[in-house]
Amino acid sequence: MLNLNSRLARVAISIAKHLSTRDYTSMCRAGYTPTAHLQPLFQQNSLTNLYKGSMFKKHNFLSTTTSNNTAEGGSEQNETISVTFVDKDGEEKLIKVPIGMSMLEAAHQNDIELEGACEGSLACSTCHVIVMDVEYYNKLEDPTDEENDMLDLAFGLCETSRLGCQVIATPELDGVRLALPAATRNFAVDGYVPKPH
Amino acid sequence: MRIFRARKLLCRSFSNTLHSEPLRVCVVGSGPAGCYTAEKMLKAREQAQVDIIDRLPTPFGLVRSGVAPDHPETKIVVNQFSRVAQHERCSFFGNVTLGSSVSLSELRRLYHVVVLAYGAESDRNLGIPGENLKGVLSAREFVWWYNGHPDGQNLDPDLKSTDTAVILGQGNVALDVARILLRPTSELATTDIASHALATLEESSIRVVYLVGRRGPAQAACTAKELREVLGIKNLDISIQESDLILTPADEEELKSNRIHRRIFELLSKAATSRPRHAGLNQRRLHFVFFRKPDSFQESKDNTGHVSGVRFEKTVLESVGPGKQIAVGTGEFEDIKCGIVLKSIGYKSVPVDGLPFDHKKGIVPNDEGRVLSDTSDTAALEEGLYVCGWLKRGPTGIVATNLYCAEETVSSILEDLENGVLISSTAALKPGRNGLLKLMHDRNVRIVSFNDWEKIDSEERRLGSSRNKPREKLATWNELLTATAEGTEYST
């Protein structure tokens, strides 16, 4: 009985995850009416600071994950994990990231210089981060085709590269270290600099 | 190549006193290169005053006039660029043209630092017979046309007298053009495509499009997202010859170390084998043709002066270095009949008076963004003059490429400020913004401010909302300038 429930829960979680990440992003790509209406949303956000990403107030729903849908209760919302960002000069910054928030949003909220040209809609590679420890990289779900398409274009791409807008804080990522690409110029496995357009 | 002046100590004391005098920077061009450069300069120098000028009344360069209408997510970056233009130490001046409203030498007298980021508004030519026939167009002009660029209004492509279009090139612009020609117009109707283009496309008789490349599928210049998208168009037959997909050892070597090309090749291979043929009238078809180099354009016998086809020479690949193969003609020819040809073989920058130019590469000679006096080994630095974006690197890359390009140029500027290379220009008090405004006023140049652009923006969005489009672009100079003169009726 217990086994069936937990299996059902896992299926439910994977469906919820699929719905919140996969289908949404494929909607973003197709350029159909839903996306066309999205654009005004982004444009209407008021911003007071040049470098802060307060547009992410509306962007929150792009980073929903299963954590918000589990049966574990509301206390999940207040839990945070520790994430260390290492900038291109090697300087480290330890921040607390609420479960369910994307690394891109967390970076912006903490004044970390991670670009986000397309504001999390999988249309650029500027939020490229490198997961410094392979064990943490392996804990992440495989990137979708859409993410891989964008990673193709990322500068300084490595074996453990991911897009910051697609890495969502979960309890098992507590302690993860993320490097901003210029910091690891020497580590780039695929040294080829892409020149498409 | 860099010339280091040995006046560091003297310069430091000068620069200390100069810190009260703001650094006055002019960026020419408000596309990604210009906006990223402005953003980084503003951040790097707390006192810097940055003016961005653009010949159009609308900012954002190719983000507005190049990115396809069905790629709205790629345009989201304008939010970031808007914040730059609205920064208290930044001003946008539209409708100001380098070369006619103000000369390069005048700008260099007005500002401490001038960064040219005006991109590439011309085309590479094939230089083959028939290139001037009617119906042979550049993809750049076609893109301007469907994106409502005010200089693209009069293109008037004839899409009604033929069912076949040939596109030369297989980069992302070529794919954009193919997609706009083949996509059901009902899908385009809810994008920001220019309405004159939508009307023409709705009456288009084009059903077959050829995307032709000189080399093979392992060298195709497009990227995965765009290829995936075109292969996924509803009810579109894709035709790829399986024999073209055979890889040589040199191809395999190339693919081994190149993730982008590897994934493109995989997508093309899958498309070649797994597509079922659709039957039916009006069936739309996209052919990927490889190993064909255009030799000449053929003139129609019934419709003189008009193109009726392209003669291609078959090619084979020859290795010219590690990981680099070029297409070499075999002397065997093949014709593809068509009524319209779109050349998507690359853009080219346009020089201005007083600007050193490398005509062979189509860029401004530079060293990490510092403009050089010529292309020789003994070139001198042009003090205070810098370059960024396509004008610096050539017409390649994506929006984000300019992020790194701007970083490099700004880095060079900051280094030059530190090392005293800019000393003679920064020592002088420069009129900057006020000087430019006065000059434009004296010349009756009607500057379009960022606020004025916002009136255009509001009006476009207002017009679009009644047509279920994100915006209805104002596609003529007259409409654009009139909208800036409108009262604050629609301003938010």
Side-chain angles (χ1 to χ4, degrees):
Chain A
M1 199 54 165
L2 275 170
N3 278 342
L4 185 62
N5 274 344
S6 64
R7 219 164 9 137
L8 278 175
R10 265 180 298 177
V11 170
I13 287 168
S14 79
I15 290 173
K17 197 166 195 170
H18 183 86
L19 283 174
S20 64
T21 57
R22 261 305 198 150
D23 289 315
Y24 189 79
T25 55
S26 59
M27 269 166 67
C28 276
R29 282 315 189 73
Y32 296 122
T33 311
T35 315
H37 287 324
L38 263 183
Q39 215 189 341
L41 246 186
F42 287 111
Q43 288 171 352
Q44 279 159 25
N45 285 309
S46 61
L47 298 138
T48 49
N49 186 305
L50 180 67
Y51 304 110
K52 280 218 169 90
S54 57
M55 80 285 272
F56 289 101
K57 265 208 312 231
K58 301 259 183 188
H59 161 64
N60 249 325
F61 66 88
L62 282 176
S63 59
T64 46
T65 61
T66 57
S67 333
N68 295 330
N69 300 324
T70 61
E72 278 155 78
S75 60
E76 193 76 64
Q77 306 277 338
N78 300 324
E79 275 185 35
T80 63
I81 60 166
S82 292
V83 175
T84 304
F85 276 91
V86 181
D87 77 11
K88 56 186 177 170
D89 302 313
E91 292 217 13
E92 300 196 1
K93 190 163 185 178
L94 174 65
I95 62 171
K96 290 281 182 206
V97 182
I99 306 271
M101 182 179 283
S102 76
M103 295 299 129
L104 175 60
E105 195 173 347
H108 281 220
Q109 284 193 2
N110 288 275
D111 275 336
I112 289 165
E113 275 180 46
L114 187 60
E115 292 273 341
C118 78
E119 298 176 6
S121 48
L122 277 182
C124 77
S125 55
T126 59
C127 68
H128 170 213
V129 292
I130 295 157
V131 183
M132 294 176 80
D133 307 294
V134 167
E135 303 102 62
Y136 280 105
Y137 178 78
N138 290 333
K139 287 182 191 174
L140 298 170
E141 290 256 323
D142 282 347
T144 56
D145 279 342
E146 285 78 14
E147 186 181 344
N148 269 327
D149 287 351
M150 291 301 107
L151 282 171
D152 278 357
L153 312 172
F155 284 70
L157 187 71
C158 302
E159 299 274 344
T160 58
S161 284
R162 290 299 299 263
L163 294 184
C165 64
Q166 302 301 301
V167 178
I168 312 299
T170 59
E172 51 185 4
L173 289 181
D174 188 26
V176 69
R177 290 157 57 78
L178 302 172
L180 300 187
T184 59
R185 226 173 258 136
N186 307 321
F187 302 1
V189 171
D190 185 354
Y192 177 78
V193 177
K195 283 178 188 217
H197 79 84
Chain B
M1 199 62 353
R2 272 185 245 149
I3 298 166
F4 286 96
R5 314 258 175 97
R7 302 192 263 174
K8 263 192 182 163
L9 283 171
L10 204 61
C11 298
R12 289 256 159 81
S13 67
F14 267 127
S15 66
N16 282 336
T17 54
L18 282 175
H19 273 169
S20 50
E21 166 69 10
L23 184 70
R24 304 192 191 277
V25 181
C26 182
V27 176
V28 180
S30 62
C35 286
Y36 277 132
T37 298
E39 186 177 54
K40 289 173 192 296
M41 275 311 310
L42 287 166
K43 187 143 194 246
R45 285 278 164 152
E46 273 174 20
Q47 302 272 13
Q49 296 275 334
V50 180
D51 293 342
I52 307 174
I53 70 174
D54 199 294
R55 72 175 186 90
L56 291 183
T58 57
F60 313 134
L62 284 173
V63 181
R64 175 177 164 93
S65 66
V67 174
D70 53 352
H71 286 172
E73 329 79 46
T74 309
K75 305 190 197 197
I76 289 172
V77 73
V78 305
N79 295 340
Q80 181 175 352
F81 295 161
S82 295
R83 291 196 295 278
V84 175
Q86 291 167 313
H87 191 278
E88 58 180 353
R89 287 183 282 118
C90 187
S91 286
F92 169 74
F93 297 134
N95 199 32
V96 176
T97 306
L98 178 65
S100 53
S101 315
V102 60
S103 73
L104 180 59
S105 53
E106 283 169 337
L107 278 184
R108 291 176 77 181
R109 281 201 292 276
L110 290 167
Y111 293 90
H112 296 119
V113 171
V114 175
V115 184
L116 302 175
Y118 64 74
E121 290 195 321
S122 178
D123 307 295
R124 280 181 67 196
N125 277 323
L126 286 165
I128 61 177
E131 207 161 354
N132 291 324
L133 287 170
K134 262 206 108 212
V136 178
L137 310 171
S138 83
R140 176 188 60 85
E141 289 176 313
F142 191 72
V143 171
W144 272 8
W145 172 76
Y146 66 62
N147 272 335
H149 190 289
D151 292 343
Q153 254 269 309
N154 298 322
L155 185 69
D156 201 23
D158 183 0
L159 304 180
K160 278 197 286 204
S161 56
T162 182
D163 66 355
T164 305
V166 166
I167 301 175
L168 301 174
Q170 292 169 334
N172 285 341
V173 177
L175 260 58
D176 274 354
V177 170
R179 205 175 63 246
I180 297 297
L181 286 172
L182 290 170
R183 215 180 183 148
T185 47
S186 54
E187 292 174 13
L188 295 175
T190 53
T191 68
D192 65 4
I193 192 168
S195 52
H196 57 253
L198 183 64
T200 301
L201 288 163
E202 281 168 344
E203 303 194 322
S204 161
S205 52
I206 293 184
R207 296 293 174 268
V208 179
V209 174
Y210 290 88
L211 274 167
V212 186
R214 290 176 301 181
R215 297 187 292 172
Q219 289 82 29
C222 56
T223 54
K225 173 192 170 194
E226 286 71 17
L227 183 56
R228 209 185 288 281
E229 186 178 13
V230 87
L231 295 175
I233 294 177
K234 236 170 24 197
N235 293 332
L236 178 67
D237 262 356
I238 306 287
S239 169
I240 300 176
Q241 287 220 32
E242 288 202 43
S243 53
D244 283 341
L245 292 163
I246 297 170
L247 291 172
T248 62
D251 288 333
E252 308 251 4
E253 263 311 301
E254 270 180 43
L255 291 182
K256 225 171 22 178
S257 56
N258 193 312
R259 181 187 146 123
I260 296 181
H261 284 290
R262 201 162 56 236
R263 295 179 80 242
I264 295 294
F265 185 80
E266 275 159 23
L267 279 169
L268 289 169
S269 303
K270 255 202 311 221
T273 55
S274 67
R275 307 289 301 202
R277 284 241 136 201
H278 290 97
L281 288 164
N282 272 343
Q283 181 53 49
R284 296 177 186 221
R285 216 160 58 237
L286 177 63
H287 293 261
F288 282 85
V289 176
F290 300 99
F291 306 108
R292 297 289 184 273
K293 189 168 90 160
D295 179 75
S296 60
F297 298 104
Q298 307 183 295
E299 184 171 352
S300 165
K301 296 197 168 54
D302 317 308
N303 192 359
T304 36
H306 207 281
V307 72
S308 66
V310 188
R311 172 150 295 171
F312 291 97
E313 188 178 5
K314 297 188 184 177
T315 67
V316 287
L317 297 185
E318 213 174 75
S319 193
V320 291
K324 176 101 172 124
Q325 299 178 81
I326 58 167
V328 172
T330 59
E332 245 188 276
F333 295 84
E334 190 178 85
D335 293 345
I336 299 182
K337 296 219 172 309
C338 64
I340 185 170
V341 179
L342 289 138
K343 296 181 290 176
S344 187
I345 59 170
Y347 290 57
K348 204 163 71 173
S349 288
V350 179
V352 292
D353 264 347
L355 180 63
F357 201 74
D358 181 338
H359 289 274
K360 194 158 145 234
K361 293 185 187 165
I363 59 171
V364 171
N366 71 93
D367 170 35
E368 291 176 346
R370 299 174 178 90
V371 176
L372 300 168
S373 57
D374 54 64
T375 55
S376 74
D377 284 335
T378 52
L381 281 180
E382 291 284 334
E383 193 185 298
L385 191 59
Y386 298 82
V387 77
C388 187
W390 280 8
L391 192 56
K392 169 184 170 193
R393 299 178 286 104
T396 61
I398 51 176
V399 172
T401 314
N402 296 290
L403 183 62
Y404 305 99
C405 188
E407 225 165 72
E408 183 184 67
T409 295
V410 170
S411 201
S412 297
I413 295 172
L414 296 175
E415 233 175 77
D416 290 353
L417 284 168
E418 268 294 301
N419 294 329
V421 173
L422 274 177
I423 194 67
S424 64
S425 88
T426 51
L429 287 176
K430 297 265 182 167
R433 188 172 300 154
N434 289 336
L436 181 65
L437 287 172
K438 179 170 192 306
L439 190 60
M440 293 303 95
H441 179 263
D442 290 346
R443 291 189 177 154
N444 264 323
V445 172
R446 179 186 173 164
I447 292 182
V448 173
S449 67
F450 198 78
N451 269 347
D452 292 332
W453 148 247
E454 286 178 311
K455 292 179 194 159
I456 296 174
D457 186 33
S458 282
E459 180 61 4
E460 290 186 342
R461 285 190 279 129
R462 184 190 74 86
L463 290 168
S465 65
S466 57
R467 296 168 202 193
N468 204 19
K469 301 171 81 173
R471 70 175 61 241
E472 181 59 65
K473 283 192 182 162
L474 298 177
T476 64
W477 282 94
N478 195 31
E479 283 173 306
L480 287 164
L481 293 173
T482 304
T484 64
E486 231 72 291
T488 50
E489 217 183 311
Y490 305 125
S491 61
T492 45

